[in-house]
Amino acid sequence: METAKTSLPGDSFYMRRALDLARRGLGTTHPNPMVGALVVAEGRVVGEGWHEKAGGPHAEVNALAAAGEAARGATLYVTLEPCCTTGRTPPCTEAIKRAGIAHVVAGSRDPNPLHAGRGYDILREAGIAVTEGVLAGECADLNPIFNFRMKENRPLFAAKAALSLDGRLAARTGASKWITGEAARENVQVLRRYYPAIGVGAGTVLADNPRLTARLPGQNEWCPRRFVFDRSLRTAAGPLPRLYSDDFRALTTIVTAESAPNEARARLEKSGVNVLPLAADSEASFWAAFSAFLAKEQLWGILVEGGPTIFRSLLAAGKIDYLYAYQAPLLFADEKAPAAFGGLAPADPAQALRLKEVRHEVFGDDILTRGWLVRS
């Protein structure tokens, strides 16, 4: 009688575990990527790690430290190609060689064109087997901000909208609570934790008085850098909204025009928020100036949760790079209900904006469609 053979988990199994580990760094690694790693010896996980915070040890180093001597001759799984240059920490390729790893299984390549593939070459030259591209798409999807910065060298502008089936943001009265359900709204909290900056228009502030913080189960409320786009400072005309008066108000900046009223600017600054006047003679120059400010502040990604006015402005300037569209199964069927997007008026579908690398996720009854926005 033959003894049944036990099949060992494959590369995808271990890479999914590495992905789970990487997500533990949500919101704490910026401007670095989220990365997860684990060491497997003879079918047993002997060490795990993830990149916990910017400036700290990388995922590979943490996993190797946890494995100790058990790493010699073992396989290292990592979601991103190991770094091969010295930054705030030494190159991970050297740590992998010193640990005696025999095989590296990696997910996505380093998105930096100057480094892509070099880490793999260094490992192979040292006699270490390398398998690359395991769950590459899922691994790359962890880090849209980092990937975009490495390729484009500018901040990523992402737009998030909660829509009806007919593309409306609210009823004609302006009421929008709630178009999407609780599960979709909880997922937005994850986005707020990931993006180091969040932006809204003056209309959203006046209509919804939002908090713009991340509130995740089991975690303290967390606040990104908050930006309000208000070129006339109308949000300072009445009682100050909570963004200008809560415990996180020092993280709030009102982005306005140089011609904004001095009295309103003084009132806002006295309340403890920041005011950023920008000189701009067009939508394109306004957003270019703001993008330069973000880069100076080392904020390489911003999530814009605006209304139709700000979305129209961003589209006109060609400034939406990534889109998160949460669509609920409801119809307003009302021409006067505000549409999320407008102003482009393509003559036929071939001229319309499209998403690439599209992903669909279901949250309760709602569907999230997300991807990179590209022009034809």
Side-chain angles (χ1 to χ4, degrees):
M1 183 176 178
E2 286 190 16
T3 303
K5 294 182 179 179
T6 303
S7 61
L8 296 175
D11 289 344
S12 293
F13 173 87
Y14 292 119
M15 192 60 73
R16 292 195 189 284
R17 175 58 184 166
L19 283 163
D20 289 339
L21 291 167
R23 294 185 184 101
R24 296 186 183 182
L26 180 69
T28 63
T29 67
H30 186 80
N32 291 351
M34 291 186 286
V35 183
L38 63 153
V39 180
V40 177
E42 298 180 350
R44 185 171 64 92
V45 176
V46 295
E48 295 184 333
W50 63 94
H51 185 38
E52 298 177 15
K53 63 179 181 178
H58 289 188
E60 301 95 315
V61 171
N62 286 332
L64 292 171
E69 280 302 309
R72 197 157 298 279
T75 298
L76 173 71
Y77 290 84
V78 61
T79 56
L80 180 66
E81 177 182 354
C83 67
C84 58
T85 55
T86 299
R88 284 189 280 182
T89 60
C92 288
T93 48
E94 295 305 308
I96 292 168
K97 289 192 289 185
R98 285 196 305 271
I101 287 290
H103 186 189
V104 170
V105 180
S108 59
R109 276 200 169 203
D110 188 330
N112 187 335
L114 299 177
H115 297 164
R118 283 187 60 201
Y120 297 144
D121 292 342
I122 289 170
L123 294 173
R124 288 184 176 116
E125 288 168 5
I128 298 170
V130 175
T131 301
E132 58 176 297
V134 175
L135 301 184
E138 292 178 50
C139 291
D141 191 52
L142 279 171
N143 299 295
I145 296 174
F146 178 76
N147 296 342
F148 188 82
R149 177 196 170 194
M150 289 296 102
K151 294 173 182 177
E152 303 294 336
N153 194 31
R154 65 175 178 85
L156 165 66
F157 280 69
K160 167 258 162 183
L163 309 167
S164 65
L165 286 175
D166 47 348
R168 306 292 169 166
L169 287 170
R172 67 166 64 193
T173 61
S176 60
K177 293 184 178 179
W178 294 104
I179 288 179
T180 52
E182 185 175 350
R185 297 198 301 274
E186 287 179 356
N187 183 251
V188 173
Q189 302 300 316
V190 176
L191 295 183
R192 289 181 179 179
R193 189 66 183 92
Y194 173 65
Y195 280 85
I198 188 168
V200 293
T204 297
V205 172
L206 293 172
D208 298 338
N209 195 20
R211 292 157 71 179
L212 302 185
T213 57
R215 301 176 295 280
L216 294 170
Q219 298 185 21
N220 293 330
E221 184 176 14
W222 185 85
C223 187
R225 289 281 296 276
R226 303 181 298 194
F227 293 91
V228 177
F229 302 104
D230 183 2
R231 300 190 204 188
S232 63
L233 295 185
R234 58 192 176 110
T235 54
L240 292 182
R242 74 172 103 200
L243 291 176
Y244 304 171
S245 57
D246 66 9
D247 291 341
F248 303 114
R249 60 187 176 277
L251 295 171
T252 299
T253 298
I254 297 90
V255 186
T256 190
E258 284 194 321
S259 59
N262 289 331
E263 184 178 342
R265 286 175 59 174
R267 184 188 182 206
L268 289 168
E269 290 169 343
K270 185 177 180 180
S271 76
V273 302
N274 307 290
V275 179
L276 174 65
L278 293 180
D281 55 11
S282 67
E283 297 301 298
S285 61
F286 176 85
W287 292 112
F290 180 64
S291 181
F293 172 81
L294 290 178
K296 181 181 177 181
E297 295 289 301
Q298 298 289 293
L299 298 169
W300 294 103
I302 182 168
L303 180 69
V304 181
E305 295 189 22
T309 301
I310 194 170
F311 287 155
R312 182 184 288 259
S313 174
L314 285 165
L315 282 175
K319 264 300 183 184
I320 298 180
D321 303 304
Y322 200 89
L323 176 65
Y324 300 88
Y326 294 84
Q327 195 165 46
L330 61 88
L331 286 168
F332 285 111
D334 182 355
E335 292 180 348
K336 294 185 178 179
F341 304 104
L344 296 183
D348 60 61
Q351 297 173 338
L353 299 180
R354 286 189 175 271
L355 299 185
K356 68 176 183 179
E357 298 178 31
V358 177
R359 292 179 178 267
H360 301 287
E361 300 171 51
V362 177
F363 297 97
D365 291 334
D366 306 320
I367 296 176
L368 167 62
T369 299
R370 60 183 177 90
W372 297 94
L373 199 66
V374 293
R375 295 178 182 268
S376 302

